[in-house]
Coordinates of all heavy atoms in Angstrom, one line a residue:
I1 N -4.7 -1.2 2.9 CA -5.1 0.2 2.9 C -4.3 0.9 1.8 O -3.0 0.9 1.8 CB -4.8 0.9 4.3 CG1 -5.4 0.1 5.4 CG2 -5.3 2.3 4.3 CD1 -4.8 0.3 6.8
E2 N -5.0 1.6 0.9 CA -4.3 2.4 0.0 C -4.4 3.9 0.4 O -5.6 4.4 0.5 CB -4.8 2.3 -1.5 CG -3.9 2.9 -2.5 CD -4.6 3.5 -3.7 OE1 -5.9 3.6 -3.7 OE2 -3.9 3.9 -4.6
D3 N -3.3 4.5 0.6 CA -3.3 5.9 1.1 C -2.9 6.8 -0.1 O -1.8 6.8 -0.6 CB -2.3 6.1 2.2 CG -2.3 7.5 2.8 OD1 -3.1 8.3 2.3 OD2 -1.5 7.7 3.7
G4 N -3.9 7.6 -0.6 CA -3.6 8.4 -1.7 C -2.5 9.4 -1.5 O -1.8 9.8 -2.4
A5 N -2.4 9.9 -0.2 CA -1.4 11.0 0.1 C 0.0 10.4 0.0 O 0.9 11.0 -0.6 CB -1.7 11.5 1.5
S6 N 0.2 9.2 0.5 CA 1.6 8.7 0.5 C 1.9 7.9 -0.8 O 3.0 7.6 -1.1 CB 1.8 7.7 1.7 OG 1.0 6.5 1.6
G7 N 0.8 7.5 -1.5 CA 1.0 6.8 -2.7 C 1.5 5.4 -2.5 O 2.2 4.8 -3.3
R8 N 1.1 4.8 -1.3 CA 1.6 3.5 -0.9 C 0.4 2.6 -0.6 O -0.7 3.0 -0.2 CB 2.5 3.5 0.3 CG 3.8 4.2 0.0 CD 4.8 3.2 -0.4 NE 6.0 3.8 -1.0 CZ 7.0 3.1 -1.4 NH1 7.1 1.8 -1.3 NH2 8.1 3.7 -2.0
L9 N 0.6 1.2 -0.8 CA -0.4 0.3 -0.3 C 0.2 -0.4 0.9 O 1.2 -1.0 0.9 CB -0.7 -0.8 -1.4 CG -1.7 -1.9 -1.0 CD1 -3.1 -1.4 -0.9 CD2 -1.6 -3.1 -2.0
T10 N -0.6 -0.3 2.0 CA -0.1 -0.9 3.3 C -0.9 -2.2 3.5 O -2.1 -2.2 3.3 CB -0.4 0.1 4.4 OG1 0.2 1.4 4.1 CG2 0.2 -0.4 5.7
I11 N -0.1 -3.2 4.0 CA -0.7 -4.5 4.3 C -0.4 -4.8 5.8 O 0.8 -4.8 6.2 CB -0.1 -5.6 3.4 CG1 -0.3 -5.3 1.9 CG2 -0.7 -7.0 3.7 CD1 0.7 -5.9 1.0
E12 N -1.5 -4.9 6.5 CA -1.3 -5.1 8.0 C -1.9 -6.5 8.4 O -3.0 -6.8 7.9 CB -2.0 -4.0 8.8 CG -1.4 -2.6 8.5 CD -2.2 -1.5 9.2 OE1 -3.3 -1.8 9.7 OE2 -1.8 -0.4 9.2
A13 N -1.2 -7.2 9.2 CA -1.7 -8.5 9.8 C -1.1 -8.7 11.1 O 0.1 -8.9 11.2 CB -1.4 -9.6 8.8
G14 N -1.9 -8.6 12.2 CA -1.3 -8.7 13.5 C -0.2 -7.7 13.7 O -0.4 -6.5 13.5
R15 N 1.0 -8.1 14.0 CA 2.2 -7.2 14.2 C 3.0 -7.0 13.0 O 4.0 -6.2 13.0 CB 3.1 -7.8 15.3 CG 2.4 -7.9 16.7 CD 3.3 -8.4 17.7 NE 2.7 -8.5 19.0 CZ 3.3 -8.9 20.1 NH1 4.6 -9.2 20.1 NH2 2.6 -9.0 21.3
S16 N 2.6 -7.6 11.9 CA 3.3 -7.4 10.6 C 2.7 -6.2 9.8 O 1.5 -6.0 9.8 CB 3.2 -8.7 9.7 OG 3.6 -9.8 10.4
N17 N 3.7 -5.5 9.2 CA 3.2 -4.3 8.4 C 4.1 -4.2 7.2 O 5.4 -4.2 7.3 CB 3.4 -3.1 9.3 CG 2.8 -1.9 8.7 OD1 3.2 -1.5 7.6 ND2 1.8 -1.3 9.3
F18 N 3.5 -4.1 6.0 CA 4.3 -4.0 4.8 C 3.7 -2.8 4.0 O 2.6 -2.5 4.1 CB 4.1 -5.3 3.9 CG 4.5 -6.6 4.6 CD1 3.5 -7.3 5.4 CD2 5.7 -7.1 4.4 CE1 3.9 -8.4 6.0 CE2 6.1 -8.3 5.0 CZ 5.2 -9.0 5.8
S19 N 4.6 -2.2 3.2 CA 4.3 -1.1 2.4 C 4.8 -1.3 1.0 O 6.0 -1.5 0.8 CB 4.9 0.2 3.0 OG 4.6 1.3 2.2
L20 N 3.9 -1.3 0.0 CA 4.3 -1.6 -1.4 C 4.0 -0.4 -2.2 O 3.0 0.4 -2.0 CB 3.5 -2.8 -1.9 CG 3.7 -4.1 -1.2 CD1 2.9 -5.2 -1.8 CD2 5.2 -4.5 -1.2
A21 N 4.7 -0.2 -3.3 CA 4.5 0.9 -4.3 C 3.6 0.4 -5.4 O 3.9 -0.5 -6.1 CB 5.9 1.3 -4.8
P22 N 2.4 1.0 -5.5 CA 1.5 0.6 -6.5 C 1.8 1.3 -7.9 O 2.6 2.3 -7.9 CB 0.1 1.0 -6.0 CG 0.4 2.1 -5.0 CD 1.8 2.0 -4.6
L23 N 1.1 0.9 -8.9 CA 1.2 1.6 -10.2 C -0.3 2.0 -10.5 O -1.2 1.4 -10.0 CB 1.7 0.6 -11.3 CG 3.1 0.3 -11.3 CD1 3.5 -0.8 -12.4 CD2 4.0 1.5 -11.6
P24 N -0.4 3.1 -11.3 CA -1.8 3.6 -11.6 C -2.7 2.6 -12.2 O -2.4 1.9 -13.1 CB -1.5 4.8 -12.6 CG -0.1 5.0 -12.5 CD 0.6 3.8 -12.1
K25 N -3.9 2.5 -11.6 CA -4.9 1.5 -12.1 C -5.3 1.8 -13.5 O -5.8 0.9 -14.2 CB -6.1 1.5 -11.1 CG -6.9 2.8 -11.0 CD -8.0 2.7 -10.0 CE -8.9 3.9 -9.9 NZ -8.1 5.0 -9.2
E26 N -5.2 3.1 -13.9 CA -5.7 3.5 -15.3 C -4.8 2.8 -16.3 O -5.2 2.7 -17.5 CB -5.6 5.0 -15.4 CG -6.6 5.8 -14.6 CD -6.1 5.9 -13.1 OE1 -4.9 5.7 -12.8 OE2 -7.0 6.2 -12.3
D27 N -3.6 2.4 -15.9 CA -2.6 1.8 -16.9 C -2.9 0.3 -17.1 O -2.3 -0.3 -18.0 CB -1.2 2.0 -16.5 CG -0.7 3.4 -16.5 OD1 -1.5 4.2 -17.0 OD2 0.3 3.7 -15.9

């Protein structure tokens, strides 16, 4: 899930949850 408001990419699988910082796709 990419949340435009938080500027983060969240990865969920079962009870695991990760949050990564993306870079602009335009670059």
Side-chain angles (χ1 to χ4, degrees):
I1 308 156
E2 192 213 11
D3 183 1
S6 68
R8 292 271 163 174
L9 178 72
T10 305
I11 302 156
E12 296 174 353
R15 297 182 180 181
S16 302
N17 188 300
F18 303 87
S19 176
L20 300 180
L23 287 172
K25 60 182 183 290
E26 294 77 19
D27 294 350

